[in-house]
Structure formats: C-alpha cells, structure tokens
Amino acid sequence: MNLELRDKKDCKYDAVSLGEVMLRLDPGEGRIRTARQFRAWEGGGEYNVIRGLRRCFGMDTAVITAFADNEVGHLVEDFILQGGVDTKLINWKKTDGIGRECRNGLNFVERGFGIRGALSCSDRANTAISQATDKDFDFDYIFGELGVRWFHTGGIYAALSEQSAETVVKAIKTAKKYGTIVSYDLNYRASMWSAIGGQAKAQEVNKEIAKYVDVMIGNEEDFTACLGFEIEGNDANLKELNIDGYKKMIDEASKVYPNFKVVATTLRTVKTATVNDWSALCWADGQIHKAKDYKGLEIMDRVGGGDSFASGLIYGLMTTADAAKAVEYGTAHGALAMTTPGDTTMATCAEVEAIMGGAGARVKR
C-alpha cells in the first residue's frame, strides 16, 4: 500500500500528536478511595501514541499541548522529557494561582484485579489544553515550515470541550493542506461527552472529523457510539466477539468515508480484569488483515494498551507499508504495554518483534 508519506528529509518530525497530557496518580494494587500514597506518571490518549513512537520505535516526535505554567505543569513536562518527546510545541498559559483561569488535568487510575475492573477518575475540567485555540499553536508553521510526516489526535481530546473539538478540526485541515498523513483514535468516553451534548454531539463532531482522516482507529464501542456503525452479533457484555460483524462494519465504514486508507480496530474479550483475549483487525486496499490471537493474555495494567496498539500500527505502516505486518506490530506492542504499569510503553522494538515472531516468556540471561 502507498500512504504517500512526506519525505523524511523535508520534515523535522516523523510524527506529532495533539491532545491533553495529564498527571496520572496510581494507588498500585490498592483502591483510590482508600489510598494513602500514589505513584505519579504522565498519560493521555493522544500523547501515549506519540511517546510510544519515540520511546519504543525510535522516531522523532513532538507533542502539541498546553499546560498551566505552574509546578504541576512542569512536573508533567519533566515526564515527557524523560520519554524523549520534544516539548517545544507546548503552549504555557498563565495561571491565577488557584486554577480559576486554567489548570492541569489529573487522572486517578486503579488497575483492577480479577473480578474488579480497572477504574479511572479524572479531574480535568477547564484545563489549559481544553481552552486552547488554533491561535495558541501556529499549525501552518508546524506542518508547513517545520514539516510533519504523521499527525495523530483523537476523540478524548475532541471531547474535552466545544473549543477543543474546533481546534482538532483546524489542526487536521492544516495537516492535510501540507500533505501530512492523519490518524485518529475515536476513543469514545460517554462521561466526557455528557456535559456537551452526549452521544449525539459525539457523532456530530466525529462524523465531521472523519471526513479528513486517513487512518481511523477504534474499538467495538467507538465505531458505534462515534460514527453510528453497528456491529452485528456482539453480545452486550462483549464476552464473545463476532469477527464477521466487525468485518462488515469496517467494509461499510470504508464506503461511507472513501478518504479512509486504513481502518483498524482492537479486539478485546474481557475474561477478568487481569485476563483478556486480545487481537486486532486492519483494513487496507480493500482487504482485511487479522493479527494473531493473544488468548488469555495476562494483564498488569490495561490503560494505554489501545494507544500502544496505535503506535505500533503507525510504526508498521510508516516503515513497511504493509498493513498485515503493521497490525501485528500494533497488537504485539499493545500486549507488551499491558504487562507493565502506567499509561505508556516500557517495551523495545526488539521485544515487539520477538513477540511477533513467537518468542515466549522464558528468562533471558
């Protein structure tokens, strides 16, 4: 397949993302409601992808985001720097000292175990990035003068506020103007859309965005809630997944949006919080490719697994131009990312490729 990527010599960045980066506070094996200490990480649906491309796959990346200019904002910046992602595109906003004007987002996350599912409790209203407009970021400079081969954003950022949805559209249109490939992860969160119009608003926004997307990513709920496509045969609790229903949905989506060059969806069957079946599908050039199945995958922390799938998929598409290989990169990377704590990957490209090749979990000495 030919995605018509811009030449690397003409671009400062292989990839950039647009979205919120929050301070994640993790009680470890315990519960948020009874915790006496938290471990701090950084994380965000769009950022996790770009960090994976840098940290695991060695690509040149940057994050487009905004922070309140205070100690918490600079703590998150420090995490981003540790991940190797360029922070030069961050917009710093003045604060009044207590967050009336803008603030930085917090995300409390417990991993879940067995019959107790993972739980996220975010505190992210009125954050700096939710208020950011296209005037806070010179998109023509970023995509035109600096040059970007791949741009990634998603439905979590689009749902932050009515303003953020507008900023997404302007960013994507500018990226397309300069020939940058655009990927978008639908990432539907009902709680985030509830205050700005609910599912109806989610579909209105995402159907507009979808017109400009080259690579569309999502799971079973995302395509239904955000774009209105139904998946035949899935049971309500997703204990069993109907693969033929997924294939029909992807085929329909590609007809409704002929601009889609690639459509990818993760396949997750939740047995318990710590045991899932995991795989993925990828449509390209009229063909659907299914990744190998990771049956009974043991999970330490599922948050960010889909984002790591996206970064592996993007890396595979950019470096191999082979959708069948790309979906294997994505699935293996997502699986590995869920074996470690935190939103972001701790895997290496060599480990991903070893898993793709069938490597087991024997000790390495």
Side-chain angles (χ1 to χ4, degrees):
M1 63 178 300
N2 183 10
L3 285 172
E4 300 180 355
L5 281 164
R6 294 180 66 181
D7 196 308
K8 184 171 175 58
K9 66 180 175 59
D10 298 326
C11 298
K12 178 175 177 62
Y13 299 113
D14 291 309
V16 302
S17 69
L18 169 64
E20 181 167 56
V21 190
M22 294 184 291
L23 183 67
R24 171 175 166 172
L25 298 171
D26 184 345
E29 290 80 23
R31 304 296 305 271
I32 296 166
R33 65 179 66 183
T34 56
R36 295 298 179 267
Q37 60 184 10
F38 293 89
R39 188 172 184 181
W41 314 85
E42 90 282 25
E46 298 80 19
Y47 162 78
N48 295 341
V49 176
I50 222 72
R51 188 189 183 283
L53 285 169
R54 173 64 187 90
R55 196 65 173 159
C56 180
F57 298 109
M59 297 189 131
D60 295 318
T61 69
V63 59
I64 304 172
T65 192
F67 291 128
D69 191 357
N70 60 23
E71 294 304 298
V72 175
H74 287 286
L75 171 60
V76 181
E77 179 197 26
D78 190 63
F79 280 123
I80 295 171
L81 288 166
Q82 291 177 50
V85 176
D86 195 331
T87 59
K88 292 185 178 65
L89 305 182
I90 293 173
N91 180 272
W92 292 94
K93 293 189 174 295
K94 291 183 179 180
T95 72
D96 58 5
I98 63 170
R100 291 188 194 92
E101 296 176 359
C102 71
R103 51 190 292 271
N104 299 302
L106 304 176
N107 193 24
F108 297 82
V109 180
E110 53 185 68
R111 302 175 203 165
F113 187 86
I115 60 172
R116 176 173 58 86
L119 175 66
S120 173
C121 178
S122 61
D123 181 13
R124 63 198 306 182
N126 304 313
T127 55
I129 186 62
S130 71
Q131 302 173 42
T133 73
D134 60 308
K135 294 180 177 60
D136 292 310
F137 309 107
D138 189 340
F139 291 135
D140 281 297
Y141 170 72
I142 293 169
F143 295 108
E145 188 171 332
L146 293 179
V148 178
R149 304 180 75 205
W150 194 291
F151 174 57
H152 180 77
T153 188
I156 292 179
Y157 174 56
L160 270 180
S161 66
E162 294 192 42
Q163 176 57 59
S164 63
E166 294 177 15
T167 306
V168 165
V169 172
K170 289 178 180 178
I172 288 176
K173 286 182 176 180
T174 309
K176 295 297 294 179
K177 180 170 73 172
Y178 291 103
T180 299
I181 295 296
V182 173
S183 61
Y184 186 85
D185 193 332
L186 290 162
N187 253 336
Y188 179 69
R189 301 288 186 273
S191 59
M192 295 183 68
W193 288 101
S194 62
I196 56 171
Q199 188 172 320
K201 184 65 175 180
Q203 291 199 8
E204 176 190 329
V205 169
N206 284 291
K207 285 180 178 181
E208 174 64 20
I209 290 170
K211 298 173 185 176
Y212 308 100
V213 171
D214 299 296
V215 179
M216 182 62 83
I217 303 167
N219 66 17
E220 64 285 332
E221 183 183 17
D222 298 333
F223 281 95
T224 298
C226 295
L227 297 178
F229 297 111
E230 295 296 330
I231 300 173
E232 297 176 5
N234 274 358
D235 76 274
N237 296 316
L238 300 175
K239 293 292 185 182
E240 298 292 336
L241 301 180
N242 178 21
I243 302 302
D244 287 337
Y246 276 85
K247 291 179 178 179
K248 288 180 182 178
M249 180 275 294
I250 291 174
D251 188 55
E252 183 184 354
S254 67
K255 291 175 181 174
V256 174
Y257 298 100
N259 50 290
F260 289 171
K261 295 181 174 70
V262 177
V263 180
T265 180
T266 53
L267 304 171
R268 184 196 296 270
T269 303
V270 178
K271 307 295 187 182
T272 71
T274 37
V275 177
N276 291 182
D277 292 341
W278 171 256
S279 188
L281 296 176
C282 180
W283 173 94
D285 294 329
Q287 293 187 319
I288 290 180
H289 308 277
K290 184 180 180 300
K292 73 177 183 179
D293 293 311
Y294 294 80
K295 295 285 189 182
L297 180 68
E298 293 178 281
I299 293 170
M300 177 179 287
D301 185 347
R302 67 167 282 172
V303 177
D307 303 328
S308 291
F309 165 77
S311 60
L313 176 80
I314 292 166
Y315 173 76
L317 291 171
M318 292 183 75
T319 58
T320 72
D322 184 329
K325 287 182 181 177
V327 74
E328 296 290 358
Y329 269 103
T331 311
H333 188 223
L336 277 172
M338 290 186 286
T339 68
T340 54
D343 279 38
T344 57
T345 182
M346 297 182 186
T348 67
C349 186
E351 288 174 330
V352 171
E353 291 176 341
I355 294 297
M356 290 167 61
R362 291 180 62 86
V363 66
K364 295 178 178 64
R365 301 185 190 275

